[in-house]
Each structure stands twice: as C-alpha cells, then as structure tokens.
Amino acid sequence: MSLFVRGNVTAATPAALVALALITTGCAGERSGPAAPQPGPATSAPGHGHVEGARETAEQQSRLVLNDPATGDTRVLDLITGKAHTVAPAKGTAELTTDGRFGYFHTAAGTRVLDGGAWTVEHGDHVHYYRAAIRDVGRIPAGTGVRVRSDTAVTAVTDADGRAVTYRRAALEKGRIGGSRTVPGTRAGAVVPYAEHLLTLTDDGKGVPRVTAHDRAGGPATVPHATCEEPAGDAVTRRGVVFGCADGALLIGVDGGRFTVERIPYDGEVPAAERATSFRHRAGSDTLTAPAGDRAVWVLDVTERTWTRVETGPVVAANTAGEGAALLVLETDGALHGYDIATGRQIARTKPLLAGEPRVGTGPGGPVVEVDRSRAYVNDPEGGHVYEIDYDDGLRVARTFDLDMEPELMVETGR
C-alpha cells in the first residue's frame, strides 16, 4: 500500500479531539437487560470493538474514502495525519456508501468492500477509538441499487428487487466476506439492523408496505402494526430507526424491551417532488436533513418529533451536526451556507469552494457535506480538493487538502 502527500495544509491542523472518557478503566461494569435503541455501527460489542491488529487511541480516527468513478482512482485520506493512502482502483463506481467503518463501492459487477481501518465504539458512558490497516475485504455479489446497513453484529444487504441477505460483521472485520443468510420476504425499503433485530418495510402485494421485524436468524418478531406509503430513505438515530414515507416519517424504537412505532407527519400535504427521500446527519445525532425540492431543506428533529422546512438557495447538498448547530447547505454558487434552523436566517457563508458548476439533485456523485463532532468536509471534484470546515467558527476553512485525483465520491469513516 503506497502513500502520497501531495495535499498541502493551508491552515494549522486543529487540536486533537478530546477523548470523551477514560479508556483504561470503567469497562468491567457492563450492564445487562432488555435491548435498547442503538445508534448504529458505533455501539458496544463483545471486546468493545477491538479486533486483532487494531490499536486503541485517545481520539476519533476520522478518515475520508474518496473515489473517481471515471478512472477508478481511490484514496483514503487520514484526517489525523493529513496523509492520503492510495488503494486499489474501483472503476465504474455508481455510488459510494459507508456504515461508519467500511466503504461500499457499488458497481454493475458487485459491491466492493473496503475496510477504512478506523472505527468508534460507544460503551456506556465512554467511548473507544480504534485504528488499523486499510485493506480490501472482497466483493458482495449485488451491485448497483443495493442498500447496505450495519450494526456491530450483522451487515444487511438489500438489492434493487427487495431481496435481502445478511453477513456476519465479525467476518468482515477479519478481512473476508463470509457466508450469507437470506432474510425472508420482499422489501420495499432497506433492511436495517437495530436492537439485535432486523427492521424493514415489507411489500406483500396486499397494499401499502408495512413495518416488519425479524431476529438475526430471519425469524419473525413482534412489532406494532404500521404502514408506510411510498417509502424512501432511512436513518438510524439514538431514538430509533427512521423510515421516510409519503406523509412524513415512521420512528421505530424500543421501550421496555418491546418495539414501538410512532408516526411523525408533515405539517400538511407535501408534493411528491418536495418530500424527504434521503437523509443525511452526523453519526449519533437525532437531527436529520433532506432536500425539500431544489430550493429548500427539511430538518427532522427526531427528539422533538418535528419537521422544519428551511428556505435556501438551490441545494446541492445539506447536512447538520444537530443539537442546536447550524444547517449546512452547499449551494450552486459553490459556497457553503449556514442557516439558523429555528429562524431560517442565513448566519454564515464561505467563499466559493467548487471549481465547477455543481448539479442540483439527490442522485449519487458530486459534492457532499460530511459532518462529524467538530468539522464538516466538502469535496470539490473538478478542483481536486477536500475542504475542512469549522462549523462552530463562522464556517472557517480550517484546512484544504490537495489531491492527485478527482474526488467525485466521498464518505467519512471512523465514526
């Protein structure tokens, strides 16, 4: 595996993130009891997330996985060291997704799995951070149109026809795909591992898709009856799993060891072109964002069970750190804009960051806004840059990474 550092840092590297709690003590008192809502891949697990060859660290090991579908050029940008690692090319990638540790390159020939070599494990009142070697894991047979969702035990893969299988997470962590297990039924949305179960929307051909649950072996589990018309988009939050529907969203959580389902409706009827169909948020946050047509953004506060529509300029990408932070919107002027969610007022703006004219829409590819606990990242494909933004300091550009490839696709791992 080769290294290159063509990226010159234009500002001082920010101070290391403060560790959220002590690492050396406090793990012995692990509590047991009914399954509780889990925040996705960054949750406690046997061994607290450690795998052979990994090194525990005192700070989050954030990395960006970058790809140019036209050439196949692929890099892993280490945000701690500022160095970019060259990995095997992945040409023809239609979409690049992540579950917080692994990058999934969706192509017509299948889905390539890359271990980004960094992950976070929440363990009660403290957090463990790990880093390890970046390595190719293998290829999952299903390719374009596939939705991949994970927790600490299983990775669920749902294809474009609604068929789903699961893979053991432990095998992926050891550098191999391993065998798969079929989830029965036909799905109208992604299968989402959550609270030691698999949640999904099932299309049985008898009407509107309904919420169903299975145990990890594929057996049926009890969940309150709820339907979701025209489902699109999903997200895992600390409050539960969110599925986007024609009339708003469904929130599936756990209370007293039992599943609960709550509907979060829009405030009135929303045209199909302006509904939330894909969600983005900071990992661990309960605040979701989604385009609301071409010139507005939906903000779903899962804690308060409310939707807020923020009028913006033409939307290229949007995200937020949540919990009182600004809404970050990359607009067609090439600048990143910050909006106060409560008032809708623009409160900050960067200089234009993009070399070319970005397209408006929700399809894969092009500039995105990735957000973690202290920074946001914007990729500039045509300019060959990635910008690090301090969203708590007036959207200050903290660092600029110059790359020897066009980062058309970008996801953040280590979360």
Side-chain angles (χ1 to χ4, degrees):
M1 183 179 298
S2 61
L3 287 174
F4 72 93
V5 192
R6 183 172 174 266
N8 296 322
V9 180
T10 60
T13 302
L17 298 175
V18 177
L20 295 185
L22 292 176
I23 294 174
T24 56
T25 61
C27 296
E30 189 167 358
R31 295 176 294 177
S32 61
Q38 303 294 314
T43 59
S44 61
H48 311 146
H50 177 75
V51 297
E52 190 68 27
R55 179 168 64 89
E56 188 164 2
T57 68
E59 59 182 325
Q60 184 170 313
Q61 302 297 296
S62 298
R63 294 174 176 177
L64 298 176
V65 181
L66 307 161
N67 175 258
D68 179 355
T71 64
D73 289 339
T74 304
R75 308 285 184 264
V76 178
L77 177 59
D78 190 322
L79 296 170
I80 300 297
T81 66
K83 296 181 179 180
H85 301 245
T86 300
V87 298
K91 194 172 183 178
T93 303
E95 185 178 9
L96 174 60
T97 61
T98 186
D99 56 14
R101 172 173 176 176
F102 297 92
Y104 299 96
F105 298 77
H106 305 274
T107 73
T111 298
R112 173 189 169 193
V113 184
L114 177 72
D115 187 345
W119 61 97
T120 299
V121 177
E122 295 191 5
H123 185 226
D125 61 354
H126 61 283
V127 180
H128 296 264
Y129 304 111
Y130 296 95
R131 65 183 293 130
I134 302 162
R135 61 180 175 180
D136 272 299
V137 176
R139 189 177 295 274
I140 294 171
T144 55
V146 166
R147 290 152 290 183
V148 181
R149 307 290 185 264
S150 302
D151 67 3
T152 56
V154 299
T155 293
V157 179
T158 310
D159 68 18
D161 295 324
R163 297 183 296 266
V165 297
T166 60
Y167 296 87
R168 292 179 61 247
R169 182 80 169 186
L172 298 180
E173 292 172 349
K174 293 177 181 178
R176 57 187 178 85
I177 299 298
S180 64
R181 184 194 297 268
T182 300
V183 181
T186 302
R187 310 302 163 194
V191 171
V192 181
Y194 176 77
E196 301 183 4
H197 286 77
L198 304 170
L199 297 180
T200 189
L201 300 168
T202 296
D203 184 0
D204 55 13
K206 299 179 181 179
V208 178
R210 58 187 175 85
V211 176
T212 56
H214 300 268
D215 59 31
R216 285 173 174 165
T222 302
V223 64
H225 177 76
T227 59
C228 180
E229 187 175 356
E230 300 179 32
D234 59 87
V236 178
T237 74
R238 294 183 182 276
R239 305 286 176 175
V241 176
V242 172
F243 288 109
C245 309
D247 62 350
L250 288 179
L251 173 64
I252 299 96
V254 174
D255 184 13
R258 296 184 178 184
F259 284 112
T260 62
V261 179
E262 185 174 352
R263 194 173 297 277
I264 308 176
Y266 295 120
D267 184 15
E269 187 174 348
V270 175
E274 297 179 7
R275 295 172 188 163
T277 59
S278 62
F279 297 105
R280 295 186 68 85
H281 69 308
R282 176 180 61 80
S285 168
D286 294 327
T287 306
L288 309 181
T289 66
D294 292 341
R295 301 184 64 88
V297 175
W298 286 114
V299 178
L300 173 57
D301 187 327
V302 179
T303 301
E304 298 297 329
R305 313 295 201 264
T306 58
W307 291 91
T308 301
R309 180 186 171 103
V310 180
E311 301 295 334
T312 65
V315 179
V316 176
N319 211 329
T320 183
E323 301 171 2
L327 170 65
L328 306 178
V329 183
L330 185 65
E331 301 183 12
T332 53
D333 61 2
L336 185 67
H337 299 248
Y339 293 88
D340 181 276
I341 295 173
T343 65
R345 183 174 60 90
Q346 180 174 297
I347 55 177
R349 178 182 179 275
T350 68
K351 65 180 182 180
L353 303 176
L354 305 181
E357 183 177 347
R359 69 175 185 270
V360 176
T362 60
V368 297
V369 181
E370 289 283 350
V371 177
D372 59 29
R373 293 182 183 272
S374 63
R375 296 290 190 266
Y377 297 91
V378 176
N379 56 318
D380 172 21
E382 291 191 29
H385 303 103
V386 170
Y387 296 96
E388 179 182 78
I389 309 296
D390 185 346
Y391 53 76
D392 284 330
D393 188 16
L395 303 187
R396 175 177 60 87
V397 177
R399 291 189 287 178
T400 298
F401 300 96
D402 303 319
L403 304 167
D404 65 347
M405 48 89 70
E406 295 186 10
E408 178 73 19
L409 301 171
M410 181 179 78
V411 295
E412 184 176 356
T413 65
R415 302 175 297 183

